[in-house]
């Protein structure tokens, strides 16, 4: 079975400060990992993904995440928060491989950016 | 513009009524999914379909039904058997060989 834990359901940062959203996963086989962003009453938008290769992954809007196998983590970071980053962020995991593989989502972290 | 459309954005129904949520995609994706989102619970899979005329139950299929008669369409019916139907419903699709799912804008269903 696979699972995702997002530490902190709410995170507040000041505008211009570092954003760090934590994600730990468990998977019995090599995983694919994703971060999605959701603005109020909207669908999810893919921020970035890790499949294979480079463990530091860059995404849209200045976000990046690093896959650390030894720590089973995939934390999301952004050097300088912007007001427009206020949203809910979801980490997700699926098993690598072909065919149908279920995606398991974390419970989300709401990011508040304080002016 | 390619994408996924869900209609309507907001839907209100009386308890005991069945209601159908629409999901259409023009991305030529084979796989489509329905998720339910409740505050603090993340996304839970209701049904998925990997190909036309075939679909499978997800983790919380009870009280829901789907059909997949066309590649681009995957409607979800919330039946009166669903005990807690009020939620935000998200449709997603995935292309062959892709790793990630693409999401529609969602439908917020309120049942009173």
């Amino acid at each position: 079975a696979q699972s995702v834990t997002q530490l902190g359901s709410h995170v507040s940062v000041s505008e211009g400060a570092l954003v760090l959203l934590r994600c730990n996963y468990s998977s019995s086989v090599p995983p694919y990992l994703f971060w999605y962003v959701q603005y109020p009453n909207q669908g999810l938008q893919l921020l970035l993904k890790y499949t294979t290769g480079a463990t530091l992954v860059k995404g849209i809007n200045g976000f990046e995440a690093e896959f650390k196998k030894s720590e089973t983590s995939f934390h999301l970071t952004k050097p300088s928060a912007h007001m427009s980053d206020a949203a809910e962020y979801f980490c997700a995991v699926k098993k690598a491989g072909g065919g149908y593989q279920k995606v398991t989502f974390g419970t989300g972290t709401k990011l508040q950016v304080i002016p | 513009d390619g994408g996924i459309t869900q209609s309507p954005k907001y839907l209100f129904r009386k308890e005991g009524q069945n209601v159908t949520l629409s999901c259409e995609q023009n991305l030529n994706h084979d796989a489509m999914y329905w998720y339910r989102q409740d505050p603090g619970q993340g996304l839970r899979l209701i049904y998925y379909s990997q190909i036309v005329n075939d679909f499978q139950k997800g983790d919380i299929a009870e009280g829901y039904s789907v059909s997949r008669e066309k590649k681009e369409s995957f409607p979800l019916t919330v039946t009166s058997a669903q005990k807690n139907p009020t939620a935000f419903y998200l449709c997603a699709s995935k292309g062959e060989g892709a790793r990630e799912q693409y999401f529609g804008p969602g439908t917020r269903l309120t049942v009173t």
Side-chain angles (χ1 to χ4, degrees):
Chain A
Q2 61 195 24
S3 66
V4 175
T5 301
Q6 291 185 240
L7 196 61
S9 58
H10 291 80
V11 170
S12 293
V13 300
S14 297
E15 190 175 15
L18 172 72
V19 176
L20 171 60
L21 303 183
R22 299 179 186 273
C23 173
N24 287 90
Y25 70 91
S26 68
S27 176
S28 57
V29 297
Y32 294 149
L33 294 157
F34 311 87
W35 274 101
Y36 287 87
V37 62
Q38 184 181 36
Y39 298 98
N41 288 311
Q42 294 187 27
L44 275 66
Q45 180 184 8
L46 182 70
L47 271 179
L48 49 80
K49 63 184 177 184
Y50 168 78
T51 54
T52 57
T55 56
L56 181 61
V57 179
K58 295 187 185 299
I60 61 172
N61 302 338
F63 284 94
E64 62 182 37
E66 186 171 10
F67 170 57
K68 292 187 176 180
K69 185 177 178 181
S70 62
E71 298 177 8
T72 61
S73 69
F74 191 57
H75 302 330
L76 182 70
T77 61
K78 182 174 180 178
S80 176
H82 192 272
M83 295 300 294
S84 60
D85 294 327
E88 190 161 19
Y89 293 80
F90 292 91
C91 183
V93 63
K94 67 181 282 190
K95 291 179 184 177
Y100 173 72
Q101 300 291 348
K102 179 184 172 182
V103 179
T104 300
F105 289 85
T107 53
T109 298
K110 284 188 178 175
L111 177 66
Q112 179 187 22
V113 182
I114 303 166
Chain B
D1 251 347
I4 303 174
T5 57
Q6 292 186 244
S7 59
K9 181 69 174 174
Y10 298 94
L11 193 51
F12 298 88
R13 281 294 183 271
K14 294 290 187 185
E15 200 172 307
Q17 293 179 335
N18 291 354
V19 59
T20 298
L21 282 59
S22 167
C23 177
E24 303 277 333
Q25 54 98 359
N26 61 2
L27 299 166
N28 200 34
H29 288 173
D30 285 314
M32 297 186 74
Y33 311 82
W34 274 106
Y35 292 92
R36 171 182 171 136
Q37 184 177 19
D38 297 282
Q41 295 195 45
L43 277 68
R44 293 182 289 168
L45 182 65
I46 305 173
Y47 268 98
Y48 67 95
S49 169
Q50 293 183 270
I51 198 166
V52 175
N53 292 322
D54 185 57
F55 49 83
Q56 306 295 329
K57 292 181 179 179
D59 299 320
I60 56 165
E62 186 175 349
Y64 299 97
S65 66
V66 294
S67 63
R68 186 85 188 277
E69 297 175 2
K70 298 187 295 182
K71 187 175 185 177
E72 58 270 22
S73 178
F74 191 40
L76 173 75
T77 296
V78 184
T79 75
S80 56
Q82 169 50 233
K83 299 302 179 192
N84 270 317
T86 294
F88 191 52
Y89 291 88
L90 287 160
C91 179
S93 70
K94 187 177 78 68
E96 187 176 355
R99 307 289 191 254
E100 69 276 11
Q101 296 176 10
Y102 290 89
F103 285 82
T107 291
R108 186 166 296 281
L109 173 65
T110 302
V111 176
T112 58

